[in-house]
Amino acid sequence: MSYPGPHFDSAPPRRRPRARTVALAALVPGALLGWLVYEAVGAPGSGTDGAAARPSSTAAASPTGSTGSTDPASPSATAGDDAKKPGAPSPASGSGPLKGKTVVVDPGHNPENVRHTAEINSKVDIGTNWKECDTTGTSTDAGYAEARFTLDVARRLRTLLEEQGATVRFTQDGDRPWGPCVDERARIGNEAHADAAISIHADGAPAGDRGFHVILPASVHSGSADTRPIVAASAELGERIAGTFVRVTGSAPANYVGDGTGLDTRKDLGGLNLSTVPKVFIECGNMRDSKDAALLTSSGWRQKAAQGISEGIVSFLHGS
């Protein structure tokens, strides 16, 4: 999500924030084991897909036994082909541990933002200050866009959550010409009275910066922003997602933010500042690093990412 250019919600200069205690018994051992596999083969659980992210005109992503698009850079490979078509309504939730729960999923950016720069560069009030409505997002060196990645993972996540009985609502499903702006993204979760909300992203940090991190809302009370009622619940949600993401994907917490906890707290993101329901962001990996890009372009790994996020949400909502 953070990358050069006039983009909304870009990350502040890299820093070493105060480390947060994050269910270390679950997170750190899994992170160390996952990191060893991560370094050794590049794409855990994806067969020969670890070599897929070499800078080229296309990026192959066809892990053994995986489903979905085989070439994320191909125009015919739309995000989440094997999950749900764009704009399809969420079916009524069935039975399961999340029956009666509502989850709002926010696929970061929009594939069409690039065609609407004037609209997404307009400023909106995020409480602490004014920021751009949205951004285009980042991409891998081979051209696989963050906005396509986020839609694919979001659609996979929706399927998994609905199987658990949840009602799932998207902020956008590739069915809008651009946006929505960050204030509307937050408002969708608020008006749905979501039990949990998550915004899905991939980072655009320098090559060599690797791993995932979950962004938590800081305590903000300024203008229209007041996160104080949701800070504690959001932190619990983020900690649970970080722990399950490590275990399911085999990826390690980011080596460039969060002091190895996989958690970062920020007050400059409108989608968090304006939320009145428990909400976090997840940066699933760094698109500008070739090893992380090999994972992000793998259909099999994206399914694992969705599974890891889903299990964290289920744990949070089910109280287990």
Side-chain angles (χ1 to χ4, degrees):
M1 182 177 67
S2 56
Y3 39 87
H7 300 314
F8 131 83
D9 283 351
S10 57
R14 295 296 177 193
R15 64 202 185 285
R16 290 293 179 186
R18 178 173 56 86
R20 184 183 186 90
T21 302
V22 54
L24 293 177
L27 179 58
V28 173
L32 294 176
L33 177 60
W35 185 254
L36 293 175
V37 177
Y38 188 65
E39 286 286 349
V41 302
S46 62
T48 59
D49 197 57
R54 294 189 303 270
S56 64
S57 58
T58 60
S62 181
T64 302
S66 67
T67 59
S69 52
T70 57
D71 181 359
S74 167
S76 63
T78 56
D81 285 341
D82 56 341
K84 184 170 291 190
K85 293 181 180 179
S90 174
S93 59
S95 61
L98 299 190
K99 183 175 176 59
K101 301 293 187 180
T102 297
V103 179
V104 168
V105 177
D106 176 32
H109 314 290
N110 181 319
E112 297 303 313
N113 277 359
V114 68
R115 305 178 191 276
H116 297 272
T117 55
E119 291 90 344
I120 67 171
N121 284 331
S122 63
K123 299 295 181 69
V124 298
D125 182 6
I126 67 165
T128 53
N129 59 303
W130 289 72
K131 298 289 284 286
E132 285 78 9
C133 156
D134 201 2
T135 68
T136 59
T138 189
S139 67
T140 66
D141 289 343
Y144 181 44
E146 178 187 1
R148 291 182 57 200
F149 167 83
T150 65
L151 270 175
D152 183 271
V153 173
R155 290 169 180 163
R156 296 170 188 269
L157 175 60
R158 171 170 55 193
T159 298
L160 293 168
L161 290 173
E162 288 174 348
E163 289 172 352
Q164 296 295 315
T167 296
V168 181
R169 183 171 180 186
F170 274 25
T171 58
Q172 60 92 15
D173 196 5
D175 50 359
R176 297 176 58 129
W178 56 273
C181 296
V182 294
D183 56 342
E184 183 181 354
R185 290 173 185 264
R187 187 163 59 250
I188 290 170
N190 298 343
E191 292 178 351
H193 303 289
D195 297 286
I198 184 163
S199 187
I200 299 173
H201 289 268
D203 214 349
D209 289 347
R210 297 186 61 196
F212 78 94
H213 64 281
V214 179
I215 304 174
L216 314 176
S219 181
V220 172
H221 185 211
S222 177
S224 56
D226 186 0
T227 62
R228 294 174 298 175
I230 66 163
V231 165
S234 297
E236 182 184 352
L237 172 63
E239 289 167 5
R240 288 178 182 263
I241 290 174
T244 55
F245 199 85
V246 164
R247 177 174 55 78
V248 176
T249 67
S251 294
N255 64 4
Y256 61 99
V257 65
D259 284 342
T261 65
L263 301 172
D264 186 27
T265 301
R266 289 172 59 174
K267 62 180 180 181
D268 63 319
L269 300 177
L272 295 181
N273 285 1
L274 300 175
S275 182
T276 60
V277 300
K279 184 175 182 179
V280 298
F281 280 39
I282 183 168
E283 300 280 2
C284 296
N286 178 19
M287 297 197 111
R288 309 306 296 181
D289 178 84
S290 61
K291 291 182 179 179
D292 268 11
L295 303 178
L296 298 167
T297 56
S298 161
S299 177
W301 188 88
R302 292 195 300 274
Q303 184 64 31
K304 290 184 178 183
Q307 184 70 42
I309 296 168
S310 173
E311 290 189 12
I313 293 172
V314 170
S315 174
F316 170 74
L317 293 178
H318 198 233
S320 59

